[in-house]
Amino acid sequence: MCGIVGAVSERDVQGILLEGLRRLEYRGYDSAGMAVINGESSLRRAREVGKVAALADAISANPLSGHLGIAHTRWATHGEPSQLNAHPHMSGERLAIVHNGIIENYQELRDELKTEGYVFTSQTDTEVVAHLIGKNYQQEGNLYNAVKTSITRLRGAFALAVVHADEPDHLVVCREGSPLVVGVGIGENFIASDQLALLPVTDRFMFLEEGDIADIRKDQIKIHDRDGQAVERTITRFEHGSDSADKGEYRHFMLKEIYEQPRVIKATMEGRITETRVLEQALGTSAANLLENVRHVQIIACGTSYHAGMVARYWIEDLAGVPCSVEVASEFRYRKHVIQPDTLFLCISQSGETADTLAALRQAKKAGFRAALAICNVPGSSLVRESDLVIMTQAGPEIGVASTKAFTTQLTALLIFTLALARHNGLSEQKEAEIVQAIHLLPGQVSDVLALDAEIEAMSKAFMDKNHSLFLGRGSQYPVAMEGALKLKEISYIHAEAYPAGELKHGPLALVDSEMPVVTVAPNNDLVEKLKSNLEEVRARGGELFVFADRAADVKPEEGIHVMQLPSVHEITAPIVYTVPLQLLSYHVAVLKGTDVDQPRNLAKSVTVE
Ligand code: AGP
């Protein structure tokens, strides 16, 4: 969604803010803006519709030099993408604000402020906050107090950064429901909605807690919690290389991230498994205790993370024999649910900031689940902080909106978790060893699939002029087919639907003709013979098949059946390996179609609003 950056420094902050915005652009990208204060004399602002590059051009024509500034990339919620709706918003000529999140009572506040004579130039909820702080500033004569008073009137989710030209040596920031991190520098300090924005200037971060309000000066950071108590927040160091946000030799972040998978899958398993066993302690000191009496697992997630949860259900029921339910967070949070005794609540999220997933977690904590476990990729995110037990994936920053390495590392973490749970439920040492050994083979097997890239690229040409496609899988490969369909639709804009192959003749078969490519994942498992019959059904209707099949599955290429042979893999780890060719296929189709692969239209990387 939207991204925030702010800086206070001895040096000119314009370049720092612009680079921060570039790094946040993946979150939301319909407009961008910046406000900079140069001494007490002036507050200057620039806003442009479109990408950060448009703002950079505007600023290079009319520089906004100064030592204190805030900046924003916007993903429209209230009001169309336009210059007037772009942040920063101002109250008068001297106060500016950037905001992430949604102010639910903005209409009521807007009406109130209008009757007091405030004039609105945008349709946003943010401008309401600007005027509210502006009004309180007039009464308090102090920016910190004005922000503190104002936020008591706000309902909804927000992270705010505010500056005033009369107080040119600090910015005031706060968070309630939207992420905000303070970047700690030497003789300069920064804020951002994501630490990634600040990696060129610091690797030390403090994550604000819900309700925190902070006064950020170049040589001082003061934080108060929602009760007004002065608090210290721990400084953590960013662990990944600061070049994680660069494309390097790759044409797109998505391709780079696909290729990083052997390394990050390895990083995710490291320290958590021996040659033959899962190290339960490595999942957290409380893991053994928590897992001992789990009788049911409720998985909650959105999008790609939901697909990871769907795969995990097969594993959890198969290996641990524990019943498992999986639901998308936006549905779960709005229905009454029956909680079975000793249910573990498991949230999966790359960002750890997805609004629906967090809302579901917060409900669950009140509802009496046994404990909350998070599988997450962003240290310090809200999900991580609010869960009882956390298994971090080690994917490193994922910039492409289309999730790739986050998914396969989520699956790796979920499989390790499943084995730990299964051990409490009678999984034999022999079976555990067999699967752990299969996990160790994953980085090499994924590399083998990446070696098929050129062939997959050639295959992708067949999809270029198609408007629809079907993805088929059976068992734990059904969610893999769902993930493949999601990848294709989100970056190539080709309509793609996934079905369990056995469902084909219950309806979707009617759609099959030569214009409907059918993609199928076919590892060599108990269901492969049944899957082959499903493929015959497609072929008999003139459908063109693209089959990713285990060498040993003996799926024969013939007219209308394109077969790509994959290495033989263990049935349990197959969903991880079979995801990769589908990622590459979507990527190449999107490149051929010339879409914006890393920032597909209408989508944002981190969905921090409902
Ligand atoms: C998929 O490629 C998307 N990026 C999207 O479906 C994503 O998985 C979803 O928004 C959930 O995000 P999260 O994992 O950060 O919670």
Side-chain angles (χ1 to χ4, degrees):
M1 298 271 115
C2 308
I4 289 180
V5 200
V8 52
S9 174
E10 281 294 346
R11 51 178 164 154
D12 189 352
V13 295
Q14 180 186 258
I16 298 170
L17 296 178
L18 209 50
E19 178 56 22
L21 288 188
R22 282 195 191 102
R23 287 166 171 261
L24 289 179
E25 199 175 25
Y26 73 99
R27 294 168 63 105
Y29 42 86
D30 57 47
S31 53
M34 183 187 294
V36 174
I37 293 177
N38 191 353
E40 276 192 40
S41 55
S42 69
L43 185 157
R44 297 183 57 220
R45 169 175 69 164
R47 297 181 294 172
E48 291 295 327
V49 174
K51 300 214 166 194
V52 173
L55 180 70
D57 288 347
I59 288 174
S60 92
N62 270 310
L64 299 181
S65 305
H67 302 285
L68 172 68
I70 51 178
H72 190 265
T73 51
R74 177 168 187 257
W75 188 81
T77 55
H78 296 67
E80 57 173 11
S82 70
Q83 196 176 36
L84 284 179
N85 285 333
H87 300 214
H89 287 283
M90 293 175 67
S91 185
E93 296 297 311
R94 300 182 72 73
L95 183 148
I97 174 174
V98 288
H99 162 223
N100 275 3
I102 286 183
I103 307 300
E104 284 173 353
N105 58 336
Y106 89 102
Q107 193 58 54
E108 164 198 329
L109 292 169
R110 189 177 166 111
D111 293 345
E112 179 185 315
L113 288 159
K114 268 185 172 171
T115 59
E116 293 175 33
Y118 286 90
V119 175
F120 287 83
T121 56
S122 80
Q123 300 153 292
T124 63
D125 49 347
T126 305
E127 196 182 8
V128 170
V129 186
H131 286 316
L132 188 63
I133 298 173
K135 175 182 146 181
N136 285 317
Y137 188 82
Q138 284 182 358
Q139 286 157 15
E140 309 261 5
N142 167 309
L143 187 60
Y144 184 88
N145 288 343
V147 172
K148 194 172 158 199
T149 307
S150 302
I151 57 179
T152 60
R153 297 284 321 274
L154 305 181
R155 281 206 314 273
F158 52 86
L160 304 173
V162 195
V163 292
H164 199 296
D166 292 348
E167 301 183 17
D169 51 358
H170 73 139
L171 59 152
V172 178
V173 301
C174 57
R175 71 158 283 176
E176 186 71 65
S178 293
L180 200 67
V181 62
V182 179
V184 182
I186 298 169
E188 56 185 358
N189 287 309
F190 316 92
I191 60 97
S193 46
D194 183 329
Q195 56 189 356
L196 212 54
L198 302 176
L199 290 180
V201 284
T202 185
D203 64 352
R204 295 188 303 146
F205 297 98
M206 280 183 209
F207 295 93
L208 295 189
E209 299 281 333
E210 297 292 4
D212 280 357
I213 171 164
D215 183 339
I216 314 286
R217 293 166 194 264
K218 65 180 192 299
D219 46 10
Q220 193 179 62
I221 297 164
K222 281 191 182 165
I223 306 174
H224 287 86
D225 66 14
R226 78 164 84 247
D227 301 324
Q229 299 296 320
V231 285
E232 300 276 332
R233 299 292 176 218
T234 323
I235 297 180
T236 51
R237 266 189 197 275
F238 184 77
E239 286 169 11
H240 302 283
S242 65
D243 62 350
S244 316
D246 292 329
K247 278 195 285 244
E249 72 202 71
Y250 293 94
R251 187 166 163 194
H252 295 100
F253 279 111
M254 182 182 176
L255 188 63
K256 177 182 178 233
E257 288 159 6
I258 290 173
Y259 271 83
E260 282 173 346
Q261 289 177 112
R263 178 174 62 78
V264 294
I265 289 171
K266 188 160 193 299
T268 301
M269 66 176 82
E270 263 166 6
R272 292 176 172 147
I273 49 177
T274 66
E275 281 304 299
T276 54
R277 300 269 290 157
V278 167
L279 294 167
E280 191 176 45
Q281 280 291 95
L283 306 185
T285 45
S286 56
N289 197 21
L290 278 180
L291 299 183
E292 177 57 32
N293 291 313
V294 169
R295 297 284 162 261
H296 175 235
V297 179
Q298 173 67 63
I299 298 181
I300 293 296
C302 302
T304 289
S305 299
Y306 168 69
H307 297 154
M310 295 265 296
V311 174
R313 183 176 62 178
Y314 287 90
W315 289 337
I316 290 169
E317 298 209 342
D318 178 3
L319 298 171
V322 173
C324 176
S325 319
V326 192
E327 193 165 350
V328 288
S330 55
E331 286 298 315
F332 178 86
R333 66 181 288 197
Y334 287 116
R335 72 174 181 86
K336 281 198 170 167
H337 20 260
V338 178
I339 304 169
Q340 300 185 37
D342 288 318
T343 296
L344 179 72
F345 194 78
L346 199 177
C347 290
I348 309 169
S349 172
Q350 186 284 130
S351 62
E353 300 293 352
T354 299
D356 284 321
T357 307
L358 285 175
L361 170 67
R362 287 167 188 159
Q363 270 185 20
K365 286 174 82 171
K366 289 187 201 138
F369 284 88
R370 177 172 169 77
L373 165 66
I375 305 264
C376 189
N377 193 42
V378 179
S381 61
S382 302
L383 184 67
V384 166
R385 290 201 311 273
E386 294 179 30
S387 300
D388 302 307
L389 189 65
V390 177
I391 305 177
M392 295 304 303
T393 50
Q394 298 295 332
E398 189 180 65
I399 309 291
V401 164
S403 205
T404 52
K405 61 177 179 170
F407 181 68
T408 48
T409 52
Q410 284 168 348
L411 290 179
T412 307
L414 282 161
L415 184 51
I416 292 171
F417 156 76
T418 302
L419 290 176
L421 180 66
R423 195 190 290 166
H424 288 272
N425 289 276
L427 186 76
S428 70
E429 273 186 32
Q430 193 191 2
K431 187 74 180 170
E432 181 177 344
E434 176 191 318
I435 296 168
V436 169
Q437 280 156 0
I439 295 175
H440 280 292
L441 297 176
L442 279 168
Q445 290 166 341
V446 170
S447 296
D448 289 347
V449 175
L450 293 173
L452 300 171
D453 194 7
E455 285 172 60
I456 297 171
E457 183 177 5
M459 188 186 255
S460 69
K461 294 189 180 112
F463 291 73
M464 217 188 128
D465 59 350
K466 299 290 189 287
N467 294 317
H468 306 278
S469 59
L470 268 182
F471 282 67
L472 303 179
R474 294 193 78 128
S476 62
Q477 294 294 331
Y478 166 47
V480 171
M482 292 171 80
E483 175 59 10
L486 176 62
K487 288 288 89 83
L488 189 68
K489 76 181 98 171
E490 72 181 321
I491 59 169
S492 75
Y493 317 146
I494 293 173
H495 171 225
E497 265 191 274
Y499 270 92
E503 270 292 293
L504 203 56
K505 51 175 131 0
H506 298 286
L509 198 55
L511 295 169
V512 170
D513 64 12
S514 60
E515 289 307 297
M516 171 77 95
V518 179
V519 180
T520 309
V521 272
N524 192 21
N525 58 23
D526 292 350
L527 295 169
V528 75
E529 290 308 321
K530 292 189 185 303
L531 187 70
K532 283 185 195 168
S533 310
N534 301 139
L535 301 187
E536 287 304 324
E537 291 159 11
V538 172
R539 198 54 212 129
R541 273 88 193 166
E544 195 165 5
L545 280 156
F546 298 84
V547 188
F548 296 93
D550 190 308
R551 261 181 221 119
D554 195 30
V555 181
K556 300 234 171 9
E558 55 185 74
E559 163 106 41
I561 307 185
H562 310 269
V563 181
M564 184 143 317
Q565 290 195 333
L566 299 197
S568 286
V569 294
H570 193 287
E571 187 183 344
I572 291 289
T573 51
I576 301 176
V577 178
Y578 276 71
T579 297
V580 179
L582 303 188
Q583 295 169 343
L584 285 170
L585 179 67
S586 299
Y587 171 77
H588 289 300
V589 176
V591 170
L592 282 174
K593 292 196 72 181
T595 60
D596 192 341
V597 172
D598 286 331
Q599 297 173 357
R601 67 186 182 200
N602 307 339
L603 299 180
K605 180 68 182 165
S606 185
V607 186
T608 53
V609 293
E610 196 178 343

